[in-house]
Amino acid sequence: MKTKKWIPNVIILVLVLALYVVLSVLISANIINPYYSGILTMVCINVILAVSLNLATGFLGQLVLGHAGFMSVGAYAASLFTMYSGLPQIISFPIALLVGGLVAVVFGVIIGVPALRLKGDYLAILTLGFGEIIRVLILAVPFTGGAAGLSGIPLLTTFTYVFILAILTVGIIFAFIHSRHGRAVIAIREDEIAAEAAGINTTYYKLLAFVMAAFFAGVAGGLYAHHIGVLDPGKFNFNYSVEILIMVVLGGMGSITGSVIAAVVLTLLPEALRGFSEYRMLIYSIILICVMLFKPSGLLGQYEFSIARIFKRLTHKKADAEKEA
């Protein structure tokens, strides 16, 4: 039985490696040109953003509208580190991503301590205000480039980097949710009063989930900055936070698989509709409205795709067939 428990994990690892190898070969052979490889990079960055926001909004149940603020903090912190650290780029880049994530964590604690005392619309408004404050501060301070933006950022983000970090983000959050800490977070979402009565430190777990989401958003910001090469403060506005939230809602609040699928679809869909340039955003909006009308819980709701479940069903069917024979 112990061997069988490892089989689904091995299958997942093989599938992930196969996907990476196939895409890497296609990119290196220029079958996937630099334009489309850039889109794939943005797909992976959006997967990190959507899955991390789902931790705070889907699993914790707190409506957060300032995720782009954490991303912007991480983007500028990581960029400034690589530009002025003086370290070789091969060393400075991974450290810069960690710095971006940790700076986002600091801001996550600063905003999370007062914000998580609130609920529902009040929390959403406060996090929205936080995102706007960060954007205004970036415009005001001189070392970020102000309204002109920050340029000269080395282009260090590769498909390998974003793919690995996207897989790690999904894996870490999936493992967290299925740990006792993750069950505590879900218990808070279902009934905070009952969770507190059961002995769960609700303040600690709410802040933990919020800070974890901020950390991965900061890392995603660092990857984005070193992919684009230029940072514009206007990019990290309220609309971008809503775009990330749409990915979470469309995929299903409380479904990591749903967030991954929605991030992939909503990143590729606008590009696929470029041939209908005049009606592209109209078609995009109609698709979103139809999904929300006919599947308000999102594409997957709270369902998770599980190879272990499929493997279990197949083994049961095989066992039943052997019994009948």
Side-chain angles (χ1 to χ4, degrees), residues 97-115:
L97 295 179
L98 184 60
V99 167
L102 291 176
V103 172
V105 164
V106 172
F107 279 87
V109 172
I110 292 171
I111 191 66
V113 170

Side-chain angles (χ1 to χ4, degrees), residues 210-230:
F210 193 76
V211 164
M212 279 185 67
F215 174 80
F216 287 112
V219 172
L223 289 168
Y224 173 81
H226 291 88
H227 169 60
I228 299 298
V230 177

Side-chain angles (χ1 to χ4, degrees), residues 7-20:
I7 292 176
N9 294 330
V10 172
I11 294 172
I12 292 170
L13 181 61
V14 170
L15 290 174
V16 169
L17 287 174
L19 177 61
Y20 168 72

Side-chain angles (χ1 to χ4, degrees), residues 13-192:
L13 181 61
V14 170
L15 290 174
V16 169
L17 287 174
L19 177 61
Y20 168 72
V21 169
V22 169
L23 291 175
S24 296
V25 169
L26 292 175
I27 291 170
S28 60
N30 208 30
I31 296 172
I32 297 178
N33 62 37
Y35 173 75
Y36 289 108
S37 66
I39 294 172
L40 288 177
T41 299
M42 283 307 303
V43 166
C44 293
I45 291 171
N46 285 337
V47 164
I48 297 172
L49 290 168
V51 172
S52 60
L53 181 58
N54 203 353
L55 177 59
T57 300
F59 292 103
L60 182 61
Q62 306 295 322
L63 183 59
V64 177
L65 289 177
H67 212 54
F70 296 123
M71 183 186 178
S72 65
V73 167
Y76 277 92
S79 301
L80 291 170
F81 184 86
T82 52
M83 291 170 70
Y84 300 110
S85 66
L87 295 171
Q89 291 181 347
I90 193 170
I91 298 173
S92 66
F93 184 46
I95 297 175
L97 295 179
L98 184 60
V99 167
L102 291 176
V103 172
V105 164
V106 172
F107 279 87
V109 172
I110 292 171
I111 191 66
V113 170
L116 293 174
R117 298 177 185 274
L118 305 174
K119 295 180 182 179
D121 298 341
Y122 300 104
L123 175 64
I125 292 168
L126 195 150
T127 53
L128 170 61
F130 159 73
E132 289 302 303
I133 289 170
I134 289 297
R135 190 174 63 82
V136 171
L137 285 175
I138 289 171
L139 287 169
V141 294
F143 59 83
T144 61
L150 185 65
S151 58
I153 304 167
L155 302 176
L156 303 176
T157 299
T158 62
F159 175 72
T160 299
Y161 255 111
V162 289
F163 188 88
I164 291 172
L165 287 174
I167 295 301
L168 282 175
T169 302
V170 172
I172 291 169
I173 292 179
F174 186 85
F176 174 79
I177 290 301
H178 289 81
S179 68
R180 67 183 184 87
H181 302 291
R183 289 192 291 272
V185 168
I186 293 171
I188 293 170
R189 178 192 68 189
E190 297 300 325
D191 194 324
E192 186 174 343

